[in-house]
Amino acid sequence: MKKSDFQAALLNKLDRLIDHLAQQQGIADQAAAPDWSAAAYRWRMRNGRGSLQAVQTPRCGPLSQLLNIDRQKTQVMRNTEQFLQGKPANNVLLWGARGTGKSTLVRALLNQYADQGLRLIEVEGHDLIDLPDIVQRLEARPERFILFTDDLSFEQDDPSYKALKSMLDGSIAGTPANVLIYATSNRRHLMPERMSENREMQTIDGEIHPGETSEEKVSLSERFGLWLAFHAFSQDEYLAVIDSELQAIALPLTSECETTRLEALRWALLRGSRSGRVAEQFIRYWQGVRTSAG
């Protein structure tokens, strides 16, 4: 075979290989394209590729069922409505006691506002490093997206920490107008507080100045424009949640049945917490007990 014929054959094979790779890439991109008709999504990584996975039946109840958090509910709804109307709105950090309705409140927004164009994307904490890739897929869309991270916390030198910090306020690219970040955490400053940080504190002219480590931790939570605190329920608030659930399933209220009241209080005592989550767990238990008793 002449050299020119060999080169021509080689070039032909390379062309076919390039066409094949381009076709495979197109198939992969098409497979990764999300179902934009859905209202809720999860960000998932598979074989090094990220994709938005549609959630066909998202778990989101009505806002009216959330008790004892009226102030937090009002502020989150107002912020979300501003966002949907194209007005300035803040990223939101919901922090505080476990089981008090932080994540339930965020999910309930979808039930309230999905028909107005709201979309919810769940991003796990370890995937926050992918935030730039996620946002790039959303900025040209007409919908309004809340990127939701539940139970957020970081350890020292966590790469996701810097990715979130940059996305909230600090990246040269900025966040598109159709994207907000809502996060829940049991920690106000999202990172563990250590005794060693107290040794960094200085007193200047009688004023206490935190050390660099503490300042770094505060700097992340401060980038959320709206902070909402959630506190453990009082006994009356806890029983009010239980009564609301009992009424929905046609069982005697705690105010009507002393046995139910005592069992509900004992349930909370054994778990060391009074919260909406504990109340919901008690209702499952108590409904089973009453059903078995006939």
Side-chain angles (χ1 to χ4, degrees):
M1 179 182 294
K2 295 181 179 179
K3 183 177 181 180
S4 58
D5 294 339
F6 174 77
Q7 290 175 336
L10 181 60
L11 289 173
N12 187 41
K13 289 183 178 180
L14 288 174
D15 287 339
R16 290 202 302 271
L17 178 59
I18 292 172
D19 289 341
H20 175 73
L21 292 175
Q23 182 180 11
Q24 292 300 314
Q25 182 64 40
I27 293 172
D29 290 342
Q30 185 177 10
D35 174 12
W36 292 114
S37 66
Y41 303 86
R42 293 190 184 99
W43 176 256
R44 289 290 182 263
M45 291 293 297
R46 291 180 179 175
N47 301 321
R49 295 178 61 85
S51 64
L52 290 171
Q53 181 184 84
V55 179
Q56 299 302 332
T57 54
R59 185 163 59 97
C60 53
L63 285 165
S64 59
Q65 288 186 352
L66 300 178
L67 304 180
N68 306 323
I69 54 169
D70 290 342
R71 180 184 60 82
Q72 298 91 328
K73 184 163 53 174
T74 297
Q75 292 191 58
V76 169
M77 290 175 65
R78 182 187 299 122
N79 189 72
T80 304
E81 288 169 5
Q82 289 176 200
F83 176 53
L84 292 171
Q85 295 164 9
K87 299 176 181 179
N90 282 304
N91 299 302
V92 182
L93 174 62
L94 304 91
W95 69 275
R98 63 189 186 276
T100 48
K102 300 183 294 296
S103 58
T104 305
L105 174 55
V106 176
R107 293 196 303 267
L109 294 173
L110 192 62
N111 187 63
Q112 182 82 6
Y113 299 113
D115 59 353
Q116 299 180 36
L118 183 68
R119 300 293 180 263
L120 191 66
I121 299 177
E122 185 180 68
V123 183
E124 295 184 9
H126 57 78
D127 287 329
L128 289 174
I129 197 169
D130 298 321
L131 279 177
D133 293 335
I134 299 171
V135 167
Q136 187 178 24
R137 301 178 185 221
L138 306 177
E139 56 186 348
R141 297 293 307 174
E143 302 89 353
R144 295 267 162 171
F145 296 93
I146 289 178
L147 303 184
F148 171 48
T149 299
D150 190 25
D151 197 19
L152 182 62
S153 64
F154 298 101
E155 297 300 328
Q156 208 70 28
D157 300 324
D158 190 328
S160 298
Y161 170 87
K162 293 184 177 179
L164 177 59
K165 186 176 179 181
S166 178
M167 184 61 61
L168 287 170
D169 183 16
S171 169
I172 190 172
T175 305
N178 67 334
V179 176
L180 281 182
I181 297 174
Y182 284 16
T184 70
S185 178
N186 295 333
R187 296 168 172 167
R188 183 177 182 179
H189 294 143
L190 306 177
M191 297 182 72
E193 309 288 338
R194 304 191 186 283
M195 184 66 70
S196 60
E197 295 168 18
N198 291 333
R199 292 194 289 269
E200 299 179 8
M201 193 172 296
Q202 300 180 11
T203 304
I204 302 176
D205 295 330
E207 294 184 352
I208 296 176
H209 293 263
E212 290 185 2
T213 304
S214 297
E215 288 289 345
E216 174 69 12
K217 293 179 177 180
V218 173
S219 71
L220 174 60
S221 55
E222 280 187 342
R223 296 188 183 213
F224 288 92
L226 184 59
W227 288 8
L228 296 173
F230 290 70
H231 303 291
F233 292 172
S234 67
Q235 179 172 297
D236 288 343
E237 289 172 334
Y238 168 70
L239 292 176
V241 173
I242 287 179
D243 281 343
S244 175
E245 296 290 338
L246 289 171
Q247 188 173 28
I249 57 178
L251 286 178
L253 308 185
T254 60
S255 57
E256 301 169 346
C257 179
E258 184 65 14
T259 300
T260 303
R261 181 178 182 275
L262 291 175
E263 286 294 330
L265 294 176
R266 185 178 294 112
W267 185 271
L269 183 63
L270 290 173
R271 278 147 188 80
S273 173
R274 291 191 296 261
S275 68
R277 180 179 299 151
V278 171
E280 183 180 358
Q281 292 167 348
F282 170 75
I283 290 298
R284 295 196 197 106
Y285 158 75
W286 194 239
Q287 187 176 14
V289 169
R290 294 304 298 264
T291 302
S292 300

